[in-house]
Amino acid sequence: MAKNYSASLLADGPFVFVSGQLPEAPDGSVAEGDAVEQTRQVFRNIEAALAPHGADLRHVVKLTYYLRHIADLQSVRQVLREFLVHEPRPASTLVEVNGLADSRCLVEIEAVAALPAPERRDGEG
């Protein structure tokens, strides 16, 4: 079975730092359901946060997961395989926490993305 993360990853900048995303829809409602549905919403939120910078999930080099229940890890990994289909996988850290900013939330994820360096034009130093 392939790892869900890379132990280390060398990345060029510039970087985009995405604050911890909760499973909130654009209207502010919290995704109903289990950790699978909540994690899907979190990844949609990360995608939306990256888009204005010309980035997407392929550019993510580091993820930090905060789970209220470590038992939800398999659910989170299931969604991870749906959204992160590229290699190498981002480096990651998982932390079980007593609570999150909203008690209805089961998961929060923050991300760091590395944007490709702009291409140099002929004659540039």
Side-chain angles (χ1 to χ4, degrees):
M1 181 168 124
K3 283 185 176 180
N4 291 309
Y5 65 93
S6 293
S8 65
L9 188 67
L10 178 63
D12 294 325
F15 296 96
V16 177
F17 295 85
V18 179
S19 296
Q21 297 295 302
L22 294 171
E24 295 177 335
D27 67 4
S29 64
V30 173
E32 297 291 328
D34 60 7
V36 170
E37 291 307 315
Q38 288 200 3
T39 304
R40 284 183 179 134
Q41 183 61 53
V42 167
F43 273 103
R44 287 191 288 269
N45 294 347
I46 292 171
E47 287 175 320
L50 291 171
H53 304 284
D56 58 38
L57 293 173
R58 291 173 298 156
H59 297 102
V60 173
V61 295
K62 175 72 166 86
L63 292 168
T64 303
Y65 302 87
Y66 301 94
L67 299 182
R68 293 229 353 249
H69 309 289
I70 200 71
D72 289 332
L73 179 56
Q74 292 307 319
S75 296
V76 171
R77 284 182 175 161
Q78 172 188 332
V79 177
L80 179 72
R81 287 188 294 273
E82 293 173 20
F83 282 83
L84 299 176
V85 296
H86 61 280
E87 294 289 338
R89 301 287 180 127
S92 68
T93 300
L94 171 72
V95 181
E96 184 180 30
V97 296
N98 288 328
L100 296 168
D102 185 318
S103 63
R104 298 170 294 172
C105 298
L106 301 172
V107 61
E108 179 175 343
I109 303 172
E110 63 185 25
V112 177
L115 301 180
E119 290 186 31
R120 292 174 50 169
R121 287 178 252 150
D122 288 340
E124 288 186 357

mmCIF file of all heavy atoms in Angstrom, residues 2-6 9 43 50 56-63 80-91 112:
data_model
loop_
_atom_site.group_PDB
_atom_site.id
_atom_site.type_symbol
_atom_site.label_atom_id
_atom_site.label_comp_id
_atom_site.label_asym_id
_atom_site.label_seq_id
_atom_site.Cartn_x
_atom_site.Cartn_y
_atom_site.Cartn_z
ATOM 1 N N ALA A 2 0.564 2.189 -0.859
ATOM 2 C CA ALA A 2 1.328 3.431 -0.942
ATOM 3 C C ALA A 2 1.109 4.271 0.309
ATOM 4 O O ALA A 2 0.028 4.267 0.892
ATOM 5 C CB ALA A 2 0.891 4.215 -2.176
ATOM 6 N N LYS A 3 2.160 4.976 0.691
ATOM 7 C CA LYS A 3 2.033 5.886 1.820
ATOM 8 C C LYS A 3 1.080 7.011 1.455
ATOM 9 O O LYS A 3 0.990 7.421 0.308
ATOM 10 C CB LYS A 3 3.384 6.495 2.179
ATOM 11 C CG LYS A 3 4.291 5.583 2.937
ATOM 12 C CD LYS A 3 5.529 6.361 3.337
ATOM 13 C CE LYS A 3 6.446 5.532 4.180
ATOM 14 N NZ LYS A 3 7.646 6.279 4.560
ATOM 15 N N ASN A 4 0.408 7.542 2.472
ATOM 16 C CA ASN A 4 -0.474 8.682 2.273
ATOM 17 C C ASN A 4 0.271 10.001 2.398
ATOM 18 O O ASN A 4 -0.340 11.058 2.362
ATOM 19 C CB ASN A 4 -1.621 8.641 3.287
ATOM 20 C CG ASN A 4 -2.560 7.496 3.013
ATOM 21 O OD1 ASN A 4 -3.012 7.344 1.890
ATOM 22 N ND2 ASN A 4 -2.842 6.696 4.013
ATOM 23 N N TYR A 5 1.578 9.942 2.593
ATOM 24 C CA TYR A 5 2.374 11.143 2.784
ATOM 25 C C TYR A 5 3.804 10.875 2.363
ATOM 26 O O TYR A 5 4.211 9.745 2.189
ATOM 27 C CB TYR A 5 2.346 11.585 4.248
ATOM 28 C CG TYR A 5 3.017 10.575 5.165
ATOM 29 C CD1 TYR A 5 4.368 10.714 5.487
ATOM 30 C CD2 TYR A 5 2.333 9.484 5.669
ATOM 31 C CE1 TYR A 5 4.997 9.782 6.295
ATOM 32 C CE2 TYR A 5 2.951 8.557 6.478
ATOM 33 C CZ TYR A 5 4.285 8.712 6.790
ATOM 34 O OH TYR A 5 4.909 7.792 7.587
ATOM 35 N N SER A 6 4.577 11.947 2.203
ATOM 36 C CA SER A 6 6.019 11.844 1.968
ATOM 37 C C SER A 6 6.723 12.168 3.274
ATOM 38 O O SER A 6 6.321 13.086 3.988
ATOM 39 C CB SER A 6 6.459 12.857 0.909
ATOM 40 O OG SER A 6 5.904 12.512 -0.346
ATOM 41 N N LEU A 9 10.111 16.463 1.653
ATOM 42 C CA LEU A 9 9.838 16.961 0.315
ATOM 43 C C LEU A 9 10.577 18.273 0.145
ATOM 44 O O LEU A 9 10.440 19.181 0.968
ATOM 45 C CB LEU A 9 8.330 17.188 0.167
ATOM 46 C CG LEU A 9 7.781 17.529 -1.187
ATOM 47 C CD1 LEU A 9 7.928 16.342 -2.130
ATOM 48 C CD2 LEU A 9 6.311 17.885 -1.065
ATOM 49 N N PHE A 43 -11.459 19.669 2.069
ATOM 50 C CA PHE A 43 -10.615 19.695 0.880
ATOM 51 C C PHE A 43 -11.174 20.626 -0.194
ATOM 52 O O PHE A 43 -10.411 21.301 -0.894
ATOM 53 C CB PHE A 43 -10.370 18.285 0.330
ATOM 54 C CG PHE A 43 -9.185 17.617 0.967
ATOM 55 C CD1 PHE A 43 -9.363 16.656 1.938
ATOM 56 C CD2 PHE A 43 -7.895 17.967 0.608
ATOM 57 C CE1 PHE A 43 -8.273 16.049 2.548
ATOM 58 C CE2 PHE A 43 -6.797 17.368 1.204
ATOM 59 C CZ PHE A 43 -6.988 16.409 2.180
ATOM 60 N N LEU A 50 -6.763 27.992 -2.479
ATOM 61 C CA LEU A 50 -5.588 27.965 -3.350
ATOM 62 C C LEU A 50 -5.855 28.611 -4.714
ATOM 63 O O LEU A 50 -4.956 29.207 -5.309
ATOM 64 C CB LEU A 50 -5.122 26.520 -3.557
ATOM 65 C CG LEU A 50 -4.533 25.817 -2.345
ATOM 66 C CD1 LEU A 50 -4.329 24.332 -2.645
ATOM 67 C CD2 LEU A 50 -3.229 26.467 -1.908
ATOM 68 N N ASP A 56 -3.409 24.597 -6.972
ATOM 69 C CA ASP A 56 -4.401 23.576 -6.673
ATOM 70 C C ASP A 56 -3.752 22.525 -5.779
ATOM 71 O O ASP A 56 -2.623 22.708 -5.317
ATOM 72 C CB ASP A 56 -5.004 22.972 -7.946
ATOM 73 C CG ASP A 56 -3.965 22.346 -8.857
ATOM 74 O OD1 ASP A 56 -2.995 21.727 -8.352
ATOM 75 O OD2 ASP A 56 -4.112 22.455 -10.080
ATOM 76 N N LEU A 57 -4.438 21.437 -5.549
ATOM 77 C CA LEU A 57 -3.938 20.427 -4.615
ATOM 78 C C LEU A 57 -2.621 19.786 -5.073
ATOM 79 O O LEU A 57 -1.872 19.281 -4.246
ATOM 80 C CB LEU A 57 -4.998 19.353 -4.367
ATOM 81 C CG LEU A 57 -6.237 19.841 -3.611
ATOM 82 C CD1 LEU A 57 -7.302 18.749 -3.563
ATOM 83 C CD2 LEU A 57 -5.873 20.314 -2.213
ATOM 84 N N ARG A 58 -2.307 19.839 -6.361
ATOM 85 C CA ARG A 58 -1.022 19.321 -6.838
ATOM 86 C C ARG A 58 0.157 20.105 -6.275
ATOM 87 O O ARG A 58 1.272 19.609 -6.234
ATOM 88 C CB ARG A 58 -0.950 19.350 -8.361
ATOM 89 C CG ARG A 58 -1.870 18.367 -9.040
ATOM 90 C CD ARG A 58 -1.868 18.581 -10.517
ATOM 91 N NE ARG A 58 -2.380 19.941 -10.778
ATOM 92 C CZ ARG A 58 -2.112 20.657 -11.861
ATOM 93 N NH1 ARG A 58 -1.341 20.175 -12.803
ATOM 94 N NH2 ARG A 58 -2.612 21.856 -12.021
ATOM 95 N N HIS A 59 -0.088 21.346 -5.864
ATOM 96 C CA HIS A 59 0.972 22.210 -5.359
ATOM 97 C C HIS A 59 1.180 22.067 -3.845
ATOM 98 O O HIS A 59 2.132 22.615 -3.299
ATOM 99 C CB HIS A 59 0.658 23.672 -5.688
ATOM 100 C CG HIS A 59 0.605 23.934 -7.146
ATOM 101 N ND1 HIS A 59 -0.581 24.052 -7.837
ATOM 102 C CD2 HIS A 59 1.592 24.067 -8.065
ATOM 103 C CE1 HIS A 59 -0.325 24.270 -9.115
ATOM 104 N NE2 HIS A 59 0.993 24.275 -9.276
ATOM 105 N N VAL A 60 0.300 21.340 -3.176
ATOM 106 C CA VAL A 60 0.398 21.212 -1.718
ATOM 107 C C VAL A 60 1.599 20.353 -1.350
ATOM 108 O O VAL A 60 1.763 19.244 -1.847
ATOM 109 C CB VAL A 60 -0.902 20.622 -1.126
ATOM 110 C CG1 VAL A 60 -0.747 20.320 0.365
ATOM 111 C CG2 VAL A 60 -2.061 21.595 -1.346
ATOM 112 N N VAL A 61 2.436 20.890 -0.456
ATOM 113 C CA VAL A 61 3.634 20.170 -0.020
ATOM 114 C C VAL A 61 3.558 19.756 1.444
ATOM 115 O O VAL A 61 4.350 18.934 1.900
ATOM 116 C CB VAL A 61 4.922 20.991 -0.270
ATOM 117 C CG1 VAL A 61 5.134 21.194 -1.770
ATOM 118 C CG2 VAL A 61 4.896 22.323 0.459
ATOM 119 N N LYS A 62 2.607 20.318 2.199
ATOM 120 C CA LYS A 62 2.492 19.991 3.627
ATOM 121 C C LYS A 62 1.045 20.147 4.055
ATOM 122 O O LYS A 62 0.382 21.125 3.723
ATOM 123 C CB LYS A 62 3.378 20.946 4.450
ATOM 124 C CG LYS A 62 3.255 20.800 5.965
ATOM 125 C CD LYS A 62 3.911 19.524 6.461
ATOM 126 C CE LYS A 62 4.106 19.489 7.966
ATOM 127 N NZ LYS A 62 2.967 19.011 8.709
ATOM 128 N N LEU A 63 0.557 19.146 4.783
ATOM 129 C CA LEU A 63 -0.779 19.172 5.379
ATOM 130 C C LEU A 63 -0.651 18.877 6.866
ATOM 131 O O LEU A 63 0.138 18.021 7.267
ATOM 132 C CB LEU A 63 -1.690 18.111 4.744
ATOM 133 C CG LEU A 63 -2.083 18.339 3.288
ATOM 134 C CD1 LEU A 63 -2.730 17.082 2.715
ATOM 135 C CD2 LEU A 63 -3.026 19.528 3.171
ATOM 136 N N LEU A 80 -8.591 11.519 1.427
ATOM 137 C CA LEU A 80 -7.268 11.918 0.960
ATOM 138 C C LEU A 80 -6.965 11.267 -0.383
ATOM 139 O O LEU A 80 -6.484 11.923 -1.316
ATOM 140 C CB LEU A 80 -6.224 11.525 2.006
ATOM 141 C CG LEU A 80 -4.778 11.836 1.719
ATOM 142 C CD1 LEU A 80 -4.538 13.328 1.831
ATOM 143 C CD2 LEU A 80 -3.886 11.093 2.694
ATOM 144 N N ARG A 81 -7.268 9.984 -0.520
ATOM 145 C CA ARG A 81 -7.013 9.271 -1.783
ATOM 146 C C ARG A 81 -7.903 9.789 -2.913
ATOM 147 O O ARG A 81 -7.533 9.704 -4.084
ATOM 148 C CB ARG A 81 -7.200 7.773 -1.582
ATOM 149 C CG ARG A 81 -6.073 7.137 -0.768
ATOM 150 C CD ARG A 81 -6.156 5.624 -0.739
ATOM 151 N NE ARG A 81 -7.327 5.121 -0.034
ATOM 152 C CZ ARG A 81 -7.378 4.894 1.286
ATOM 153 N NH1 ARG A 81 -6.322 5.119 2.039
ATOM 154 N NH2 ARG A 81 -8.477 4.429 1.844
ATOM 155 N N GLU A 82 -9.064 10.341 -2.589
ATOM 156 C CA GLU A 82 -9.938 10.918 -3.612
ATOM 157 C C GLU A 82 -9.388 12.241 -4.142
ATOM 158 O O GLU A 82 -9.477 12.521 -5.335
ATOM 159 C CB GLU A 82 -11.333 11.191 -3.039
ATOM 160 C CG GLU A 82 -12.127 9.972 -2.665
ATOM 161 C CD GLU A 82 -13.423 10.333 -1.948
ATOM 162 O OE1 GLU A 82 -13.892 11.487 -2.065
ATOM 163 O OE2 GLU A 82 -13.965 9.450 -1.253
ATOM 164 N N PHE A 83 -8.859 13.062 -3.258
ATOM 165 C CA PHE A 83 -8.441 14.410 -3.626
ATOM 166 C C PHE A 83 -6.971 14.514 -4.001
ATOM 167 O O PHE A 83 -6.620 15.348 -4.832
ATOM 168 C CB PHE A 83 -8.746 15.397 -2.485
ATOM 169 C CG PHE A 83 -10.188 15.801 -2.429
ATOM 170 C CD1 PHE A 83 -11.125 15.009 -1.784
ATOM 171 C CD2 PHE A 83 -10.624 16.978 -3.013
ATOM 172 C CE1 PHE A 83 -12.456 15.373 -1.726
ATOM 173 C CE2 PHE A 83 -11.959 17.361 -2.961
ATOM 174 C CZ PHE A 83 -12.876 16.549 -2.316
ATOM 175 N N LEU A 84 -6.112 13.741 -3.384
ATOM 176 C CA LEU A 84 -4.670 13.824 -3.652
ATOM 177 C C LEU A 84 -4.249 12.618 -4.472
ATOM 178 O O LEU A 84 -3.772 11.626 -3.953
ATOM 179 C CB LEU A 84 -3.883 13.895 -2.346
ATOM 180 C CG LEU A 84 -4.192 15.106 -1.469
ATOM 181 C CD1 LEU A 84 -3.424 15.024 -0.171
ATOM 182 C CD2 LEU A 84 -3.891 16.401 -2.194
ATOM 183 N N VAL A 85 -4.423 12.747 -5.774
ATOM 184 C CA VAL A 85 -4.156 11.629 -6.675
ATOM 185 C C VAL A 85 -2.770 11.722 -7.318
ATOM 186 O O VAL A 85 -2.403 10.867 -8.104
ATOM 187 C CB VAL A 85 -5.248 11.534 -7.768
ATOM 188 C CG1 VAL A 85 -6.599 11.232 -7.142
ATOM 189 C CG2 VAL A 85 -5.309 12.816 -8.583
ATOM 190 N N HIS A 86 -2.024 12.746 -6.995
ATOM 191 C CA HIS A 86 -0.708 12.966 -7.585
ATOM 192 C C HIS A 86 0.396 12.448 -6.670
ATOM 193 O O HIS A 86 0.189 12.176 -5.508
ATOM 194 C CB HIS A 86 -0.518 14.464 -7.833
ATOM 195 C CG HIS A 86 -0.578 15.253 -6.554
ATOM 196 N ND1 HIS A 86 -1.773 15.589 -5.954
ATOM 197 C CD2 HIS A 86 0.402 15.727 -5.758
ATOM 198 C CE1 HIS A 86 -1.509 16.245 -4.831
ATOM 199 N NE2 HIS A 86 -0.205 16.347 -4.688
ATOM 200 N N GLU A 87 1.571 12.327 -7.239
ATOM 201 C CA GLU A 87 2.785 11.991 -6.494
ATOM 202 C C GLU A 87 3.767 13.128 -6.699
ATOM 203 O O GLU A 87 3.766 13.740 -7.762
ATOM 204 C CB GLU A 87 3.384 10.668 -7.006
ATOM 205 C CG GLU A 87 2.523 9.451 -6.749
ATOM 206 C CD GLU A 87 2.458 9.027 -5.287
ATOM 207 O OE1 GLU A 87 3.379 9.389 -4.514
ATOM 208 O OE2 GLU A 87 1.492 8.358 -4.921
ATOM 209 N N PRO A 88 4.618 13.443 -5.779
ATOM 210 C CA PRO A 88 4.656 12.837 -4.452
ATOM 211 C C PRO A 88 3.542 13.382 -3.576
ATOM 212 O O PRO A 88 3.035 14.481 -3.798
ATOM 213 C CB PRO A 88 6.027 13.269 -3.910
ATOM 214 C CG PRO A 88 6.283 14.582 -4.577
ATOM 215 C CD PRO A 88 5.663 14.464 -5.957
ATOM 216 N N ARG A 89 3.156 12.581 -2.602
ATOM 217 C CA ARG A 89 2.162 13.032 -1.631
ATOM 218 C C ARG A 89 2.792 14.094 -0.736
ATOM 219 O O ARG A 89 3.991 14.080 -0.507
ATOM 220 C CB ARG A 89 1.700 11.863 -0.751
ATOM 221 C CG ARG A 89 1.086 10.706 -1.488
ATOM 222 C CD ARG A 89 -0.296 11.064 -1.996
ATOM 223 N NE ARG A 89 -0.858 9.921 -2.700
ATOM 224 C CZ ARG A 89 -2.033 9.409 -2.415
ATOM 225 N NH1 ARG A 89 -2.773 9.901 -1.463
ATOM 226 N NH2 ARG A 89 -2.472 8.386 -3.105
ATOM 227 N N PRO A 90 1.982 15.016 -0.222
ATOM 228 C CA PRO A 90 2.533 16.032 0.683
ATOM 229 C C PRO A 90 3.066 15.401 1.971
ATOM 230 O O PRO A 90 2.592 14.347 2.403
ATOM 231 C CB PRO A 90 1.334 16.923 1.004
ATOM 232 C CG PRO A 90 0.282 16.576 0.017
ATOM 233 C CD PRO A 90 0.557 15.192 -0.461
ATOM 234 N N ALA A 91 4.027 16.065 2.572
ATOM 235 C CA ALA A 91 4.413 15.709 3.939
ATOM 236 C C ALA A 91 3.204 16.020 4.821
ATOM 237 O O ALA A 91 2.386 16.877 4.471
ATOM 238 C CB ALA A 91 5.626 16.533 4.361
ATOM 239 N N VAL A 112 0.111 23.933 3.164
ATOM 240 C CA VAL A 112 1.141 24.799 2.591
ATOM 241 C C VAL A 112 1.333 24.324 1.151
ATOM 242 O O VAL A 112 1.536 23.128 0.903
ATOM 243 C CB VAL A 112 2.474 24.705 3.361
ATOM 244 C CG1 VAL A 112 3.534 25.568 2.696
ATOM 245 C CG2 VAL A 112 2.282 25.090 4.822
#
